Amino acid sequence: MPILSERMSRLGTESAFEVLARANALARQGRSIINLGIGQPDFSTPGHIVEAGRKALADGHHGYTPANGILPLREAVAADLHRRHGVTISPERVLVVPGGKVTMFFAILMFGEPGAEIIYPNPGFPIYESVIRFSGATPVPMKLREGKGFSFDAEEVLGLITPRTRLIIINSPGNPTGGVVPRAELDRLVAGLALHPEVAIMSDEIYGEMLYEGTHASLTTYPELEDRLILLDGWSKTYAMTGWRLGYGVWPAALFPHAERLAINCNSCVNAAAQYAGIAAMTGPREPSARMVAAFAERRAYIVPALKALPGFTCATPGGAFYAFPNIAGTGFDSRTLQSRLLDEAGVATVSGTSFGAFGDGHLRFSYAASLDALKEAVGRIGDWLARQKQQAKEKVAV
Ligand SMILES: Cc1ncc(COP(=O)(O)O)c(C=O)c1O
């Protein structure tokens, strides 16, 4: 048996992929499964973007590109950030990578080592905690508060900082909760961070264009953070491009060479055709993205009250992304049991809140990247299943 490095035992996973595999296996057996487990838009990549990728291949863009990405793409990213946030960012600080995940992997590897601490949102995207542990650093959970719409309390986060803290990860709008951190909370956090100039911040803003109320408060708009803020963003969600594997990080000038070296060691560059498609996405018509967000808004307007109406469920209204994260404690089931029984017995795939960290206990994640009809059918099935459990419990008592 080959002997693995010790660190491999510390690497976690993303349960949504396991749920997807189980849902697909059940579907292959002929079961009708509604998949609200996976976090990807249920839309195709807009045609003009696909066409740009196809043209790049036809035009002969088959070789390596510069490790940091082709210049017109990095310029498009800088222009896009200016359009969205009014900020001026040099394309020289943009590192194009194969998907949003890669920026978090690089950032955590850059700062994580035994003895270091990294603060991360919990419940949060499971890869944060997984890679922090992998790096040898200690994961320090920043508790997202259901009562605050799954935002954090800035004072509480600042109180977690110790001399060992190297990096703080922020994700708004957030996965799995859809929670949005209000600008006033960010103001308080940034003001407090002035006392901790050695701590880096990674802001995962991959859902930044999927917002249903107000405008997105980006950490890029705080110039005082410029020399220690890593922005994580990408094309996966905004342009329905999860399978193209295209993302970017904006790095502080002093950190950029380290990030680029990680890219050279890991992936050399991102596939050339995807980069050309990425230019078309950012410089082309915005209507396809706007239509997708409008569809998510309509689904949110249906699913949140529908979940609230299920017995034992309560649900905070998500401000962004395409997730609802209801509290299911009142059903009497724990999250993991409810996740597997809803999949096996009601044919509805969701993800247990515990897959997103200890503070996700008592919740389920519903991805509403599915048609309105599918959502209605799913909620109906869950309602029927809960009613059957209640009936069976009654019959047991009667016997
Ligand atoms: C919060 C968050 N960050 C990053 C990612 C990764 O995106 P990508 O598929 O581009 O790697 C996801 C994907 O689900 C996510 O939810």
Side-chain angles (χ1 to χ4, degrees), residues 99-101 104 125 128 171 175 204 206-207 236-237 245:
K101 262 182 184 166
M104 77 183 69
F125 190 51
Y128 304 142
N171 173 216
N175 179 5
D204 180 344
I206 200 138
Y207 296 102
S236 295
K237 315 288 175 175
R245 309 312 301 139

Side-chain angles (χ1 to χ4, degrees), residues 35-109:
N35 193 346
L36 308 184
I38 194 79
Q40 68 177 337
D42 57 321
F43 295 91
S44 301
T45 305
H48 69 282
I49 302 175
V50 176
E51 192 42 46
R54 201 199 316 264
K55 182 171 181 310
L57 288 174
D59 289 350
H61 294 290
H62 304 165
Y64 292 124
T65 74
N68 54 344
I70 55 177
L71 180 60
L73 180 60
R74 289 181 287 113
E75 285 172 343
V77 167
D80 192 59
L81 290 170
H82 188 267
R83 172 185 68 81
R84 287 162 60 197
H85 309 308
V87 294
T88 301
I89 280 171
S90 162
E92 296 306 310
R93 296 207 287 125
V94 176
L95 182 69
V96 178
V97 282
K101 262 182 184 166
V102 180
T103 298
M104 77 183 69
F105 198 75
F106 288 179
I108 295 170
L109 284 191

